[in-house]
Amino acid sequence: MRLDGIHHVTCITADAPGNVDFYTRILGLRLVKKTVNQDDPTVYHLFYADEDGSPGGDITFFEYPGIPRGRAGDGMIHTVEWRVGSAESLDFWERRLTDEGVAVERGDGDVVFEDPEGLRHRLVVTAAEDEPLMAEHPEIPAEHALQGFDAVRAYTRAPEVSRPVLQEILGFTAAGDGVWEARGDTRGGVYAYDESPEERGLGGAGTVHHVAWSSTMEEHGAWHARVAAAGLRPSPIIDRFWFRSIYFREPSGVLFEIATLGPGFGIDEDPEHLGEKLILPPAFEHIRAQIEPVLTPLPDPRAAARS
Ligand code: ZN
């Protein structure tokens, strides 16, 4: 059994409208699902991805209006890395982000920036031959579009403590000092550690909540059994409608999820119109009239781009 790279990365925002603006208008991702937190239906859960809503390029946000800024610390993911096509793409993003007033650090082979709430992103030229996962955007030429995740980077004081779980239980391959790759039949994704800062981490706006790794539907039950047998105390298998999930903490403290590659975001919406209307899990549909007025109104980013 092999995990097929990163499935999605879930983060926290205090400002859903600003979040939609940054990830759709500026970064050019497609809002592929506008729904609510299945554990708290008074707040949004927003999913941005490529045109098809594919696992591998799907960044999602829980909205907690008014929650203070957090900061990444020990046992937390601090940076999300995305693939782009070429050095010219890095030039494009350096220019585009700078024009939008986003502070950019341009390195030799990367572009580093933060979203409006301090969540750090890094763009790197891909060496992977995986299918590029791109969304369409009128101002972003296809050759420069984001192509999906390359890696997530986390803070730890002791990467060796996690090694047995990453390698022997999850089947990651060591790829350097504190660096591992999860590579399956169709994609790969990297998990890397950096030395923790002195300051304690704090969950909040602009932090990563968890990273999910991809499993086939057929192998998902076996992954649950394997993680449980290793003493990692996973959650039960939870049906998230667009995929199934199990959650557990790896020894460094980072919350991991293993999510299935299907059935996908088209299961309850026309693929042509993903993300345009509020989708409620079936258990909440009967209280739609109470939920909708509580949520911050959001623009339809595609309609805004066309007008
Ligand atoms: Zn998740």
Side-chain angles (χ1 to χ4, degrees):
M1 295 202 301
R2 288 279 171 197
L3 294 168
D4 209 45
I6 297 168
H7 186 288
H8 63 268
V9 180
T10 292
C11 316
I12 297 170
T13 179
D15 171 23
N19 191 256
V20 170
D21 183 66
F22 189 79
Y23 286 90
T24 64
R25 185 181 62 80
I26 298 181
L27 292 190
L29 300 175
R30 182 178 187 192
L31 177 65
V32 293
K33 195 64 69 181
K34 181 166 66 177
T35 184
V36 294
N37 186 333
Q38 292 179 21
D39 302 314
D40 178 358
T42 65
V43 296
Y44 280 118
H45 192 181
L46 304 170
F47 295 70
Y48 310 100
D50 68 333
E51 214 50 34
D52 300 322
S54 309
D58 175 17
I59 188 164
T60 96
F61 286 83
F62 293 131
E63 180 203 26
Y64 291 99
I67 195 178
R69 288 263 187 108
R71 61 169 183 263
D74 190 46
M76 294 169 72
I77 290 169
H78 61 79
T79 301
V80 179
E81 300 193 353
W82 301 81
R83 296 171 181 160
V84 295
S86 66
E88 290 71 42
S89 304
L90 296 177
D91 297 338
F92 171 86
W93 284 103
E94 181 185 16
R95 256 193 331 271
R96 179 170 176 81
L97 291 162
T98 303
D99 288 349
E100 288 289 346
V102 178
V104 172
E105 277 174 58
R106 174 66 193 266
D108 221 4
D110 64 9
V111 164
V112 179
F113 59 95
E114 294 179 352
D115 84 356
E117 297 175 294
L119 177 61
R120 195 183 308 141
H121 295 279
R122 179 168 177 254
L123 310 183
V124 295
V125 178
T126 182
E129 288 175 8
D130 303 344
E131 187 195 341
L133 302 174
M134 300 184 296
E136 291 162 16
H137 186 289
E139 295 168 7
I140 302 171
E143 68 264 30
H144 297 321
L146 302 188
Q147 298 187 356
F149 299 123
D150 196 58
V152 288
R153 304 191 70 90
Y155 284 132
T156 187
R157 298 194 203 287
E160 289 308 314
V161 174
S162 293
R163 179 185 294 274
V165 166
L166 300 179
Q167 291 183 202
E168 287 150 36
I169 310 304
L170 300 179
F172 290 12
T173 308
D177 201 14
V179 182
W180 284 267
E181 184 184 33
R183 175 159 289 282
D185 289 339
T186 61
R187 299 191 78 72
V190 168
Y191 186 58
Y193 288 119
D194 295 296
E195 177 69 28
S196 304
E198 285 296 313
E199 214 176 17
R200 229 177 109 246
L202 194 65
T207 64
V208 174
H209 188 268
H210 64 266
V211 58
W213 305 93
S214 296
S215 150
T216 62
M217 192 65 96
E218 296 72 32
E219 291 175 344
H220 199 238
W223 278 113
H224 187 268
R226 182 188 285 196
V227 168
L232 291 166
R233 303 174 56 184
S235 70
I237 294 177
I238 299 171
D239 187 353
R240 298 298 189 197
F241 312 108
W242 314 293
F243 45 84
R244 289 181 197 161
S245 300
I246 60 177
Y247 303 86
F248 57 96
R249 284 194 192 274
E250 59 96 342
S252 289
V254 176
L255 185 59
F256 272 17
E257 174 182 350
I258 296 177
T260 56
L261 285 163
F265 293 120
I267 192 169
D268 54 4
E269 258 182 311
D270 177 354
E272 294 290 312
H273 296 281
L274 294 179
E276 291 176 14
K277 66 175 208 278
L278 180 69
I279 300 297
L280 294 177
F284 297 129
E285 193 55 63
H286 70 288
I287 51 169
R288 178 179 283 271
Q290 284 100 292
I291 291 174
E292 279 197 299
V294 177
L295 293 164
T296 319
L298 294 180
D300 172 355
R302 291 242 149 149
R306 281 191 297 268
S307 64

